[in-house]
Amino acid sequence: MTLTKYVTYNIETFIEDLLNESAIDQLGVSRALAIAEAEDISLDRAILKLGLVDEELLIPRLAKSAGCKQIADIPEYTPDLVSLDLLTFSYCQSNQIVPISDANGRSFILSSDPANGALGAELLFFLERPPAVVAAPTRIIRSLLASLDETQEDTKVSGERLQADQEALRQGEFEGPVIRFVSEILNEAVAVGASDVHFEAQEDGLRIRLRINGILQAHPVNRSLSVVSILARLKVISGMNVSERRLPQDGRITSTIAGRKVDFRVSSVPTSFGESIVCRVLDPNALRLGWGKLGFDAETTRQIIEIIEQPNGLFLVTGPTGSGKTTTLYTALAHLNDEGRKILTVEDPIEYNLAGVEQVQVHEEIGLTFARTLRSFLRQDPNVLMVGEIRDEETAEIACRAAMVGRMVLSTLHTNTPEGAVTRLTNLGVPEYVVKAVLRGVLGQRLEISGGGVRRLQAKLAL
């Protein structure tokens, strides 16, 4: 076994520490060792690749084993331009490292792989001095690289080095430039907490935008890459038909990023200049469950809890797309989730998995609709039902019927105001007297930019 070829820590001690701290079990160690040996990578990289331990938990143990310091938050820093010039920005991106200086002028290399002996040897060669490596999670590295890319354009790699890198890409060292570019965009979206990524074919090329805190922000595009190739790559990894460019398609990408599984819900539609592909980021770590994390005031939270803890009725969340309706419903489910309740959900798609909750994915192409699933749910004797969205007459009727016969039903509804929920339900064919009998409350929420930041405004209508 050649695992020690890549690392500066004692593997046996590292494994023993992980086992003693219950961070991983013996079966996980065996799996990681097998992957590490088969792919000739270090044990910690194999653990992250399998998603056995979250990177945020592994970094402190890795730093301890490698005998270096570690940080958990984005530091106040000054870019070390001298080191950056020696290493080149391209090299830093490829190896996920950031050279920085502290207030005293001391230089450090932030790395998410601090025990990589081969990397350490390369840094020693380029810098001509022993590097002071500090361990940091990938999200911090990517965030700092992104800001560095925006503010230090003059440190870009020279034309000769860029040509050499592109030649290496063509030779397959990094699996091709398009593959690498798409992977970097999706990884960065997770690192910066974006809710979705937009790839849009324009008349003059490709436009990429990341939605962060509800606002779309432009992202640099490598103009040397073909727009068609980038969009085709997204369609390949999401399971779409690459040759079909005339009809909308849906797909899904599952990837291991920073040691955890992250899903992307992908949607493609034809446009006048090609296609628009949107990847919705479904990152379990981004789901901040807990009433205190939603931004509601104490009184609104108290009223919501009082409503959802009732034995039956209908509770609706309204608001525009991206306002956090699903997160609110998941928080409510997490609050109600205990051994004494049977909870079922029907969603399109299942955005996050909740332990202890039975979740069903809608598949309309085979007839598994919201309404049909809800009918089956009623025979499962549930206490709580969650419907991803009430969007048609049949779903609205069954949801209200379930609320009348001893179930608490949670759902979202597309209306501009909470007051409009009653009108919307009656327009869907539910008698007004039924709506008044089952509707326990409607929560309206939206995101609003204020003072350069984002804050959530909420309105509550109790019936």
Side-chain angles (χ1 to χ4, degrees):
M1 185 176 295
T2 59
L3 304 182
T4 53
K5 171 183 176 182
Y6 295 90
V7 296
T8 59
Y9 58 82
N10 183 282
I11 294 176
E12 289 73 18
T13 302
F14 182 65
I15 293 175
E16 184 178 352
D17 287 344
L18 290 174
L19 292 172
N20 290 340
E21 296 173 21
S22 300
I24 193 173
D25 57 24
Q26 188 60 57
L27 177 59
V29 170
S30 300
R31 292 174 58 202
L33 285 171
I35 290 294
E37 184 174 17
E39 300 188 10
D40 201 20
I41 59 177
S42 64
L43 177 63
D44 55 277
R45 298 302 100 182
I47 290 174
L48 289 175
K49 182 172 184 177
L50 291 172
L52 300 175
V53 178
D54 193 293
E55 187 187 45
E56 301 282 345
L57 299 177
L58 190 62
I59 283 290
R61 297 170 174 85
L62 203 54
K64 176 184 175 183
S65 299
C68 67
K69 296 181 180 179
Q70 62 102 16
I71 61 171
D73 296 307
I74 296 178
E76 293 292 333
Y77 79 103
T78 301
D80 182 356
L81 299 182
V82 175
S83 296
L84 186 62
D85 185 54
L86 291 172
L87 296 171
T88 75
F89 187 78
S90 176
Y91 179 84
C92 292
Q93 279 189 315
S94 298
N95 291 279
Q96 289 296 288
I97 58 175
V98 181
I100 64 172
S101 299
D102 64 10
N104 298 320
R106 292 175 298 185
S107 297
F108 301 92
I109 302 292
L110 295 187
S111 172
S112 61
D113 191 8
N116 189 332
L119 177 61
E122 289 183 2
L123 292 174
L124 176 60
F125 174 80
F126 287 120
L127 300 176
E128 298 182 346
R129 68 176 187 273
V133 177
V134 176
T138 300
R139 60 178 176 82
I140 292 179
I141 303 293
R142 291 188 179 279
S143 178
L144 294 180
L145 282 173
S147 62
L148 198 59
D149 192 19
E150 293 174 0
T151 59
Q152 303 296 324
E153 290 296 326
D154 56 317
T155 65
K156 290 287 186 178
V157 63
S158 67
E160 291 183 0
R161 181 58 185 268
L162 179 59
Q163 186 177 0
D165 285 347
Q166 289 177 334
E167 181 62 28
L169 289 172
R170 282 193 291 270
Q171 292 174 1
E173 183 177 346
F174 299 113
E175 299 183 290
V178 172
I179 294 175
R180 182 170 179 80
F181 178 74
V182 170
S183 177
E184 287 179 349
I185 294 294
L186 297 182
N187 276 263
E188 183 174 341
V190 174
V192 300
S195 60
D196 42 71
V197 189
H198 296 246
F199 297 82
E200 302 160 326
Q202 305 286 299
E203 185 175 12
D204 58 349
L206 182 67
R207 178 171 66 172
I208 298 178
R209 297 186 290 173
L210 276 62
R211 188 182 299 278
I212 303 173
N213 292 329
I215 303 300
L216 285 172
Q217 301 180 16
H219 187 282
V221 179
N222 186 342
R223 297 298 178 184
S224 67
L225 301 180
S226 163
V227 175
V228 174
S229 297
I230 292 173
L231 298 181
R233 173 60 183 168
L234 286 166
K235 294 169 77 172
V236 167
I237 61 178
S238 61
M240 296 183 187
N241 182 353
V242 179
S243 62
E244 179 56 76
R245 301 179 185 177
R246 300 166 300 171
L247 297 173
Q249 297 187 71
D250 294 311
R252 197 177 186 99
I253 301 170
T254 299
S255 180
T256 300
I257 299 175
R260 63 181 183 273
K261 188 177 80 169
V262 178
D263 287 338
F264 300 86
R265 186 179 69 186
V266 186
S267 172
S268 170
V269 296
T271 63
S272 56
F273 297 110
E275 291 177 283
S276 171
I277 296 182
V278 177
C279 301
R280 175 80 179 273
V281 184
L282 306 178
D283 182 5
N285 281 21
L287 185 64
R288 300 175 296 171
L289 297 182
W291 297 115
K293 298 178 181 178
L294 293 180
F296 299 141
D297 59 72
E299 178 58 22
T300 298
T301 300
R302 185 195 65 78
Q303 291 177 322
I304 294 174
I305 293 175
E306 184 178 301
I307 290 172
I308 64 175
E309 287 186 342
Q310 295 183 41
N312 59 72
L314 177 64
F315 174 69
L316 298 174
V317 181
T318 67
T321 300
S323 61
K325 299 187 295 295
T326 300
T327 301
T328 298
L329 287 185
Y330 274 125
T331 301
L333 291 179
H335 176 87
L336 296 172
N337 189 14
D338 59 42
E339 290 293 331
R341 291 188 178 96
K342 171 84 169 183
I343 302 178
L344 298 172
T345 76
V346 53
E347 307 169 62
D348 184 23
I350 297 175
E351 299 199 9
Y352 303 99
N353 293 315
L354 292 177
V357 176
E358 305 300 322
Q359 299 171 269
V360 175
Q361 163 78 53
V362 167
H363 289 289
E364 294 192 353
E365 63 275 11
I366 63 172
L368 189 61
T369 62
F370 277 108
R372 184 171 182 177
T373 305
L374 271 176
R375 285 198 199 91
S376 299
F377 277 0
L378 295 179
R379 294 191 289 271
Q380 293 279 317
D381 193 27
N383 300 102
V384 180
L385 296 175
M386 193 271 271
V387 185
E389 179 187 349
I390 294 178
R391 59 174 69 162
D392 57 57
E393 179 178 349
E394 192 175 13
T395 303
E397 187 270 329
I398 298 173
C400 290
R401 188 201 319 162
M404 293 183 67
V405 294
R407 276 83 178 183
M408 172 53 65
V409 181
L410 315 177
S411 188
T412 67
L413 197 65
H414 278 292
T415 61
N416 293 327
T417 64
E419 294 79 4
V422 174
T423 302
R424 175 64 175 154
L425 288 174
T426 55
N427 287 343
L428 287 173
V430 181
E432 186 173 350
Y433 71 89
V434 173
V435 176
K436 290 183 177 180
V438 301
L439 193 58
R440 299 290 179 259
V442 183
L443 176 73
Q445 61 184 61
R446 67 178 59 247
L447 293 175
E448 180 180 273
I449 302 298
S450 177
V454 178
R455 62 189 179 94
R456 176 171 294 161
L457 300 180
Q458 65 282 333
K460 165 83 165 39
L461 175 64
L463 299 177

